[in-house]
Amino acid sequence: MAAAMQRLRRLSRCIAAAPCSARAVATGALPAEMKAVVWRGDPDPAKMKLETLQRPSPRKGEVLVKVHACGVCHTDLHCIKGGVPFPAPAVFGHEISGTVVAHGEDVDSVRLPLGGKVACSFIMPCGTCYHCKKGEEDTCEPFFSFNRLKGQLYDGDTRLFQLSGEPVAMYSFAGLAEYAVVPQTAAFQLPQALAENNFSESSLLGCAFFTAMGAIRNAAHLEAGQSTVIIGAGGVGQGIVQLAKHLGASPVIAVDISDKALALAKELGADHTINARSEDVLARVAELTGGFKADVCMEVIGSKATFEQAIMAVRDGGRACYVGIASPSTRAEVPITHMVRRRISLVGSYGARASKDMPELLDIAAAGGVNLKSAVTRRFSLNQASEAYSLLNEGKVTGRAVIEMS
């Protein structure tokens, strides 16, 4: 009897916390609790545990997504290992696919109907800040100040709570869970072809391919016929390989230190691969581009050595585009005279612009322009998430792994 009363009190807290609008538009009865993988500050990803939290409720402009799959990304690891500060306890996971099961107030139910299958971009633009109004959603100020610094959404609150009522921080929408609250600006209905054939794999459209699209479109401004070098053939790097090839870049050259990663890059469309352990990268790039080096180099590692290498891998007038995340304390050196005299442009890229780039990306994926199934090389269940991140940390995941909820 005591256990039953305790469960009833938990249910009452969840109902009281949910806005009436969210309760009124839901696909049937929703559970009061859910399973989620919780990080409590230990730098070892193996220490993350599957816990029971209150099932979150969407507020104004938000949807509740029943998560189907969540990508396993290095960016989560940067926070888990302490390289990038983030509050604990927290739930990570920032690229998901799933089904919309509830609406908060003022949600566009035509664009995001209940029961609709969606992919969600990790950048969740507020739509109203200075940068969003300029179309620069990839630098949305509330996203960085509230979500990336505090683990909150844009009213200054998290949507995740322990059974005791204590808050849990959200990294993006906290996708390593059975349910996730997502601002409607970051949720996109999947085309039928993806919903039916690539539901799990479509989770990667929210970060790996989303980040690749942003780098290509908004930073590198890559055009058909231009040569491109991708330094780092991990999940995002493989996404850049596929999209660059689809959009007509030539040649597409992948650089890594893993033969397995390079073999996958070749399978996914790279014209040439270079193993940086055994080959002179700059000499090979020059050889493969008629002596001129690349029009564009995209660095997806985030290390001092590869940052500096990218500058030297581009031709006169070329562009070095930086995608890889590093510790805030990491510094690199820039050869000023070389950069100035050779007219080399350096530009950073973080994610993409959801309202513009995500629809194009969905169209490309639905038409078969990228191979989502081949991009996924490992699959895990939610209770294996800590193992998945441990293997990623040990360099034992080639391409992208996904966590599938069922």
Side-chain angles (χ1 to χ4, degrees):
M1 177 65 74
M5 289 299 294
Q6 183 180 27
R7 186 173 181 84
L8 182 59
R9 284 194 294 270
R10 291 174 187 165
L11 177 60
S12 299
R13 285 199 302 268
C14 290
I15 293 174
C20 292
S21 57
R23 297 201 306 272
V25 284
T27 55
L30 297 172
E33 300 172 359
M34 70 170 186
K35 296 295 185 182
V37 177
V38 179
W39 171 73
R40 295 194 170 275
D42 195 296
D44 181 359
K47 300 295 178 62
M48 295 193 300
K49 300 295 183 184
L50 190 65
E51 300 185 16
T52 301
L53 302 180
Q54 296 181 30
R55 189 265 303 155
S57 295
R59 300 182 188 175
K60 185 175 181 178
E62 300 168 351
V63 296
L64 181 67
V65 174
K66 188 177 191 301
V67 179
H68 181 76
C70 179
V72 178
C73 181
H74 268 284
T75 305
D76 294 327
L77 270 182
H78 288 304
C79 297
I80 292 167
K81 295 169 66 176
V84 176
F86 197 74
V91 174
F92 291 103
H94 59 270
E95 52 181 357
I96 64 170
S97 59
T99 303
V100 176
V101 294
H103 288 158
E105 183 185 353
D106 293 342
V107 166
D108 185 344
S109 59
V110 175
R111 190 177 77 85
L112 296 170
L114 292 176
K117 294 181 178 181
V118 296
C120 302
S121 62
F122 82 89
I123 290 181
M124 309 172 296
C126 73
T128 59
C129 72
Y130 172 83
H131 293 289
C132 284
K133 287 182 177 179
K134 289 175 68 67
E136 299 170 355
E137 295 172 346
D138 42 355
T139 42
C140 172
E141 192 277 331
F143 172 73
F144 287 99
S145 62
F146 281 97
N147 188 261
R148 281 301 182 262
L149 290 182
K150 301 176 182 178
Q152 302 167 345
L153 294 185
Y154 306 149
D155 58 359
D157 287 333
T158 181
R159 303 293 181 267
L160 296 183
F161 296 91
Q162 300 174 57
L163 298 182
S164 65
E166 294 301 308
V168 177
M170 305 167 65
Y171 194 75
S172 288
F173 29 68
L176 288 174
E178 292 177 316
Y179 291 88
V181 167
V182 183
Q184 65 177 332
T185 56
F188 295 84
Q189 190 164 5
L190 291 172
Q192 184 176 357
L194 297 179
E196 291 181 355
N197 303 315
N198 298 103
F199 194 17
S200 289
E201 297 85 359
S202 290
S203 60
L204 304 190
L205 297 172
C207 177
F209 285 94
F210 181 71
T211 300
M213 178 64 85
I216 288 171
R217 287 294 197 222
N218 307 321
H221 300 292
L222 185 66
E223 299 177 2
Q226 291 188 326
S227 56
T228 183
V229 171
I230 300 100
I231 300 179
V236 174
Q238 303 286 10
I240 296 176
V241 166
Q242 289 207 57
L243 285 169
K245 187 69 173 179
H246 172 76
L247 295 170
S250 180
V252 175
I253 304 166
V255 180
D256 206 280
I257 58 174
S258 164
D259 285 332
K260 287 185 178 180
L262 292 172
L264 180 59
K266 189 77 171 177
E267 177 186 336
L268 294 176
D271 297 300
H272 307 282
T273 61
I274 301 172
N275 190 316
R277 284 194 189 276
S278 57
E279 300 177 80
D280 184 322
V281 172
L282 300 182
R284 281 286 287 145
V285 169
E287 177 186 341
L288 294 169
T289 55
F292 293 103
K293 298 186 181 176
D295 294 303
V296 171
C297 180
M298 297 194 225
E299 193 275 351
V300 201
I301 301 293
S303 75
K304 178 180 186 295
T306 53
F307 186 101
E308 294 169 0
Q309 187 177 66
I311 299 172
M312 306 307 294
V314 298
R315 66 167 177 84
D316 295 357
R319 298 178 299 285
C321 174
Y322 295 95
V323 181
I325 294 292
S327 164
S329 63
T330 300
R331 297 290 184 270
E333 296 179 0
V334 175
I336 296 173
T337 299
H338 176 83
M339 185 186 71
V340 172
R341 287 184 175 176
R342 302 294 181 176
R343 299 182 297 106
I344 294 172
S345 300
L346 278 61
V347 61
S349 181
Y350 187 78
R353 296 165 184 177
S355 64
K356 175 179 70 72
D357 296 323
M358 196 67 169
E360 181 186 7
L361 180 57
L362 288 168
D363 287 344
I364 290 172
V370 294
N371 188 335
L372 292 175
K373 284 196 182 294
S374 293
V376 175
T377 58
R378 299 287 298 270
R379 298 173 190 267
F380 299 85
S381 62
L382 186 60
N383 62 7
Q384 295 174 314
S386 58
E387 176 189 355
Y389 279 90
S390 295
L391 291 171
L392 183 68
N393 186 43
E394 295 165 8
K396 295 180 179 178
V397 175
T398 301
R400 201 65 143 192
V402 296
I403 306 295
E404 296 177 308
M405 301 303 151
S406 60

